[in-house]
Amino acid sequence: MHRPAIKLDTDHAAVKKSKLGVILFIAYTLVYSGFVFIGLVDPELLGLHVLGKQNLSIIYGFGLIVLAIVMGFIYNALCNRLEDKMNEKKESSI
Amino acid sequence: MIYTISIWAIIIFLTFVVLVLGLSFYFAGKTKSASGYYAAGGHIHWGVNGIAFAGDYLSAASFLGICGMIAYSGYDGFLYSIGYLAGWIVALFLVAEPLKRLGKYTFTDALDARFNSKSIKLTASISTLVVSIFYLIPQMIGAGDLIVPLLGLPHWSGVLIVGSIVIFIVATAGMASTTYVQFIKGALLIVFSTILTIYILNNGLNLNPGGNYHQFIKIGASVDGKKVVGTTDSTYSFIDSYTVDEKLTFVRLQKQGIERWFKLSKDSTSLDEMLSVATLEDGTKLYNGEPQSAAKFFQVGHLTKIIVDGKEVDKTGPLGPFKFLSTLENSELVRFTKKDIKAANTTVWFQTPTSGKDMLSPGLLLKISSKTGASIWDKLNFFSLMLALFLGTSALPHILIRYYTVASQRAARKSTIVAISAIGFFYILTLYMGLGASVNGVLDVESSNMSGPLLAKYFGVGLFSIISAIAFATVLGTVAGLIVASSGAIAHDFMDKFLNMKMSDKKKVKAGKLAAFGVGIFAILLGILFKGMNVSFLVGLAFAVAASANLPSILFLLFWEKTTAKGISWSIVTGILSSVFIILLSPAMYERYGFAKGLAPIPLDNPGIISIPLATIVLVIVSLMTQKDNKNKVENYHNDK
């Protein structure tokens, strides 16, 4: 009675995808930490106008949200490529 | 309550509930097996699942809580939006796919996949329950808050209605129907929030929020030394005055037999009108000195100065999304700050003039600037909140179980991206909805959670009823998801796996439904008990507990070979106990118990900064001490390496 809801095939791209995920995670964490760091060290900076007539809080806050979406799409595209390439190759060689 | 009930709201609301129930009946017919109940058979389309993810995630905290927080405290509420979304990055890049590879039905299954350990089964199922219940409380409170203006019923009945409907949904169909409920509601929430934002931008900024908006008065103060002794307005007679927090002076005056409260201005020359709720000895409440039925308690929040291109104007007309923010930044508005005057059994909300610049940067709610007197603890509190929000998402069991409802890793990933896009877009809208609510005279100071729906009412009762119904469905859907997760923890993880009760597939589903019933009743009780707390703040705490109890285990399991079963179990226990302990001793809870905030032994409202590292350290130390256990671990995880 104890089995996965879905049976998954072996995924040869798993290791590479996981590395890619870690790299992208670190990149985003650095940008996010930057925001928290400014808030901790010099919050007045967040009130300064940086782009157009918008202050840093707005630009950085919106930026973090948009960046998450963009990086999500990049990750998906790269993972799809890895899966197509590696799983196809391994299977044909078996 | 300061608003009238609308027939339209009731009709639309009922239509929604009937639709939702109909759907759950429809899918109930299709749900027979255990995998169908807990994981919707693993065959939900990724697009549907992605929006359902968004539906799960955009709970009462997001729509009701964040909008309310932004309306009252500006950008600090938006910090929650940023953190909640950033958390998805951890989920997508680190957790989603490996977890999908490990998992069966529940979060506990995934953690235990390599070990087959009794202690993991027990601690992970307890953690699922604790986190889900922490998350359930604010949802139930939100439901009660919504029902009050929607149907004119008392708060407890709202909690009871949501609880009963959800128990019914979950007990009839499980995950398949909750997925479709979440999909429909997630999609509608985003569409109608967009419509509401378009209304806000089209309306622009206006000094006069509407014909009925109350004009707050200012009268002269007579001061003797430092004490207020009366007023220069002879139509008012002086009763008494109170000093709170050593710097705020509140004055009670009387006019034609009705008591009104005023606040002494900073320069001690004038008295500014406030909102007040006084509780009499027999328990009845007077709103601005009169019974509630007199309707003398006002919706508030207004601009006092609008500057466009250097010139002061009365109104702006339609504004673009960026122009709206930059214009607001140059303007000034009045927020309302709550204070309890214990000696007079009265709660007052006084006018707090706030610059648009302060509204659009962090600092009004969380003290972070040394210039405004932020201590090291205040700064740690901010850091702790941002840390818990970032790490909490991927540790929420009711979010994690959604990875098991799609067919493949690729589908799980695509679902997550659909979810991130939808949620990110919605969170940008929260800033506009919150700010819109703060300046259009719609706020009910007794319930910050209602800011979003009340703003919708400003634009029309139709929009209000639809938005309220969606918000209500939001609560329904989220509660359903949480109850599925909790019932999974009890019936599947605890009874089936830990106690090793050999149950047939059919019995397993039955046990799950019974567990759902029990958790549902419990949630109803908690929702009634915790009435009046801010929902987004409470969800922030649920995130902290989740991040402390679950995240170290998930990440170390996936990325550190030496992790042992005992390491995971001890880390979960440490995470739960330390985070809950810090929460119970925090200033916010001390205020809730009726003590002064300053008495709290731990001056942190957000526990993450202490409890997350603590749980991580315990995991590493215990794992290193129990390395020999790992020789026996089940190696079904490394089939892909």
CSV table of all heavy atoms in Angstrom, one decimal, chain A residues 26-52:
chain,number,residue,atom,x,y,z
A,26,ILE,N,21.6,31.2,-4.6
A,26,ILE,CA,22.6,32.1,-4.0
A,26,ILE,C,22.5,33.5,-4.6
A,26,ILE,O,22.6,34.5,-3.9
A,26,ILE,CB,24.0,31.5,-4.2
A,26,ILE,CG1,24.1,30.2,-3.3
A,26,ILE,CG2,25.1,32.5,-3.7
A,26,ILE,CD1,25.4,29.4,-3.5
A,27,ALA,N,22.4,33.6,-5.9
A,27,ALA,CA,22.3,34.9,-6.6
A,27,ALA,C,21.1,35.7,-6.0
A,27,ALA,O,21.3,36.8,-5.6
A,27,ALA,CB,22.1,34.7,-8.1
A,28,TYR,N,19.9,35.0,-5.9
A,28,TYR,CA,18.8,35.8,-5.4
A,28,TYR,C,18.9,36.2,-4.0
A,28,TYR,O,18.6,37.3,-3.6
A,28,TYR,CB,17.5,35.0,-5.6
A,28,TYR,CG,16.2,35.8,-5.3
A,28,TYR,CD1,15.7,36.6,-6.3
A,28,TYR,CD2,15.7,35.8,-4.1
A,28,TYR,CE1,14.6,37.3,-6.1
A,28,TYR,CE2,14.5,36.6,-3.8
A,28,TYR,CZ,14.0,37.3,-4.8
A,28,TYR,OH,12.9,38.1,-4.6
A,29,THR,N,19.5,35.2,-3.2
A,29,THR,CA,19.7,35.5,-1.8
A,29,THR,C,20.6,36.7,-1.5
A,29,THR,O,20.3,37.5,-0.7
A,29,THR,CB,20.3,34.3,-1.1
A,29,THR,OG1,19.5,33.1,-1.3
A,29,THR,CG2,20.4,34.5,0.4
A,30,LEU,N,21.6,36.9,-2.4
A,30,LEU,CA,22.5,38.0,-2.3
A,30,LEU,C,21.7,39.3,-2.5
A,30,LEU,O,21.9,40.3,-1.8
A,30,LEU,CB,23.7,37.9,-3.3
A,30,LEU,CG,24.7,36.9,-2.9
A,30,LEU,CD1,25.8,36.8,-4.0
A,30,LEU,CD2,25.4,37.3,-1.6
A,31,VAL,N,20.9,39.3,-3.5
A,31,VAL,CA,20.1,40.5,-3.8
A,31,VAL,C,19.1,40.8,-2.7
A,31,VAL,O,19.0,42.0,-2.3
A,31,VAL,CB,19.3,40.4,-5.2
A,31,VAL,CG1,18.6,41.7,-5.5
A,31,VAL,CG2,20.3,40.0,-6.3
A,32,TYR,N,18.5,39.8,-2.2
A,32,TYR,CA,17.5,39.9,-1.1
A,32,TYR,C,18.2,40.4,0.2
A,32,TYR,O,17.8,41.4,0.8
A,32,TYR,CB,16.9,38.6,-0.8
A,32,TYR,CG,15.8,38.6,0.2
A,32,TYR,CD1,14.5,39.0,-0.1
A,32,TYR,CD2,16.0,38.1,1.5
A,32,TYR,CE1,13.5,38.9,0.9
A,32,TYR,CE2,15.0,38.1,2.5
A,32,TYR,CZ,13.7,38.5,2.2
A,32,TYR,OH,12.8,38.4,3.1
A,33,SER,N,19.4,39.8,0.4
A,33,SER,CA,20.2,40.3,1.6
A,33,SER,C,20.6,41.7,1.5
A,33,SER,O,20.6,42.4,2.5
A,33,SER,CB,21.5,39.4,1.8
A,33,SER,OG,21.2,38.1,1.7
A,34,GLY,N,20.9,42.2,0.3
A,34,GLY,CA,21.2,43.6,0.1
A,34,GLY,C,20.1,44.5,0.6
A,34,GLY,O,20.4,45.5,1.3
A,35,PHE,N,18.9,44.1,0.3
A,35,PHE,CA,17.8,44.9,0.7
A,35,PHE,C,17.7,45.0,2.3
A,35,PHE,O,17.6,46.0,2.9
A,35,PHE,CB,16.5,44.3,0.1
A,35,PHE,CG,15.2,45.1,0.5
A,35,PHE,CD1,14.9,46.3,-0.1
A,35,PHE,CD2,14.4,44.5,1.5
A,35,PHE,CE1,13.7,46.9,0.3
A,35,PHE,CE2,13.2,45.2,1.8
A,35,PHE,CZ,12.9,46.4,1.2
A,36,VAL,N,17.8,43.8,2.9
A,36,VAL,CA,17.7,43.7,4.3
A,36,VAL,C,18.9,44.4,4.9
A,36,VAL,O,18.7,45.1,5.9
A,36,VAL,CB,17.7,42.2,4.8
A,36,VAL,CG1,17.7,42.1,6.3
A,36,VAL,CG2,16.5,41.5,4.2
A,37,PHE,N,20.1,44.3,4.3
A,37,PHE,CA,21.3,45.0,4.8
A,37,PHE,C,21.1,46.5,4.8
A,37,PHE,O,21.4,47.1,5.9
A,37,PHE,CB,22.5,44.6,4.0
A,37,PHE,CG,23.8,45.1,4.4
A,37,PHE,CD1,24.4,44.6,5.5
A,37,PHE,CD2,24.4,46.2,3.8
A,37,PHE,CE1,25.6,45.1,6.0
A,37,PHE,CE2,25.6,46.7,4.3
A,37,PHE,CZ,26.2,46.2,5.3
A,38,ILE,N,20.6,47.0,3.7
A,38,ILE,CA,20.3,48.5,3.7
A,38,ILE,C,19.4,48.9,4.8
A,38,ILE,O,19.5,49.9,5.5
A,38,ILE,CB,19.8,48.9,2.3
A,38,ILE,CG1,20.8,48.7,1.3
A,38,ILE,CG2,19.4,50.4,2.4
A,38,ILE,CD1,20.3,49.0,-0.1
A,39,GLY,N,18.3,48.1,5.0
A,39,GLY,CA,17.3,48.3,6.1
A,39,GLY,C,17.9,48.3,7.4
A,39,GLY,O,17.5,49.1,8.3
A,40,LEU,N,18.9,47.5,7.6
A,40,LEU,CA,19.6,47.4,8.9
A,40,LEU,C,20.6,48.5,9.2
A,40,LEU,O,20.7,49.1,10.3
A,40,LEU,CB,20.3,46.0,9.1
A,40,LEU,CG,19.4,44.8,9.3
A,40,LEU,CD1,20.2,43.5,9.3
A,40,LEU,CD2,18.7,44.9,10.7
A,41,VAL,N,21.4,48.8,8.1
A,41,VAL,CA,22.5,49.6,8.3
A,41,VAL,C,22.2,51.1,8.1
A,41,VAL,O,22.5,52.0,8.9
A,41,VAL,CB,23.7,49.2,7.4
A,41,VAL,CG1,24.8,50.2,7.5
A,41,VAL,CG2,24.1,47.8,7.8
A,42,ASP,N,21.5,51.4,7.0
A,42,ASP,CA,21.2,52.8,6.6
A,42,ASP,C,19.8,52.9,6.0
A,42,ASP,O,19.7,53.1,4.8
A,42,ASP,CB,22.3,53.3,5.7
A,42,ASP,CG,22.2,54.8,5.6
A,42,ASP,OD1,21.3,55.4,6.2
A,42,ASP,OD2,23.1,55.4,4.8
A,43,PRO,N,18.7,52.8,6.8
A,43,PRO,CA,17.4,52.8,6.2
A,43,PRO,C,17.0,54.1,5.5
A,43,PRO,O,16.2,54.1,4.7
A,43,PRO,CB,16.5,52.5,7.5
A,43,PRO,CG,17.3,52.7,8.7
A,43,PRO,CD,18.7,52.5,8.3
A,44,GLU,N,17.7,55.2,5.9
A,44,GLU,CA,17.4,56.4,5.2
A,44,GLU,C,17.7,56.4,3.7
A,44,GLU,O,17.0,57.0,2.9
A,44,GLU,CB,18.2,57.6,5.8
A,44,GLU,CG,17.7,58.2,7.1
A,44,GLU,CD,17.8,57.3,8.3
A,44,GLU,OE1,18.8,56.5,8.3
A,44,GLU,OE2,17.0,57.3,9.2
A,45,LEU,N,18.6,55.5,3.3
A,45,LEU,CA,18.9,55.3,1.9
A,45,LEU,C,17.7,54.9,1.1
A,45,LEU,O,17.5,55.2,0.0
A,45,LEU,CB,20.0,54.2,1.7
A,45,LEU,CG,21.4,54.6,1.7
A,45,LEU,CD1,22.3,53.3,1.4
A,45,LEU,CD2,21.7,55.6,0.7
A,46,LEU,N,16.8,54.1,1.8
A,46,LEU,CA,15.6,53.6,1.1
A,46,LEU,C,14.7,54.7,0.7
A,46,LEU,O,13.8,54.5,-0.2
A,46,LEU,CB,14.9,52.6,2.0
A,46,LEU,CG,15.6,51.3,2.3
A,46,LEU,CD1,15.0,50.5,3.4
A,46,LEU,CD2,15.7,50.5,1.0
A,47,GLY,N,14.8,55.9,1.3
A,47,GLY,CA,13.9,57.0,0.9
A,47,GLY,C,14.4,57.8,-0.2
A,47,GLY,O,13.7,58.7,-0.7
A,48,LEU,N,15.7,57.6,-0.7
A,48,LEU,CA,16.3,58.4,-1.7
A,48,LEU,C,15.7,58.0,-3.1
A,48,LEU,O,15.4,56.8,-3.4
A,48,LEU,CB,17.8,58.1,-1.8
A,48,LEU,CG,18.6,58.6,-0.6
A,48,LEU,CD1,20.0,58.4,-0.8
A,48,LEU,CD2,18.3,60.1,-0.3
A,49,HIS,N,15.5,59.0,-4.0
A,49,HIS,CA,15.1,58.7,-5.3
A,49,HIS,C,16.2,58.1,-6.1
A,49,HIS,O,17.3,58.6,-6.1
A,49,HIS,CB,14.6,60.0,-6.0
A,49,HIS,CG,13.3,60.5,-5.4
A,49,HIS,ND1,12.5,61.5,-5.9
A,49,HIS,CD2,12.5,60.0,-4.4
A,49,HIS,CE1,11.4,61.6,-5.2
A,49,HIS,NE2,11.4,60.7,-4.3
A,50,VAL,N,15.9,57.0,-6.8
A,50,VAL,CA,16.9,56.4,-7.6
A,50,VAL,C,16.6,56.3,-9.1
A,50,VAL,O,17.5,56.5,-9.9
A,50,VAL,CB,17.3,55.0,-7.1
A,50,VAL,CG1,18.1,55.1,-5.9
A,50,VAL,CG2,16.0,54.2,-6.9
A,51,LEU,N,15.3,56.1,-9.4
A,51,LEU,CA,15.0,55.9,-10.8
A,51,LEU,C,13.7,56.7,-11.1
A,51,LEU,O,12.7,56.5,-10.4
A,51,LEU,CB,14.8,54.4,-11.1
A,51,LEU,CG,14.9,54.0,-12.5
A,51,LEU,CD1,16.3,54.2,-13.1
A,51,LEU,CD2,14.5,52.5,-12.7
A,52,GLY,N,13.7,57.5,-12.1
A,52,GLY,CA,12.5,58.3,-12.3
A,52,GLY,C,12.2,59.1,-11.1
A,52,GLY,O,13.1,59.7,-10.5
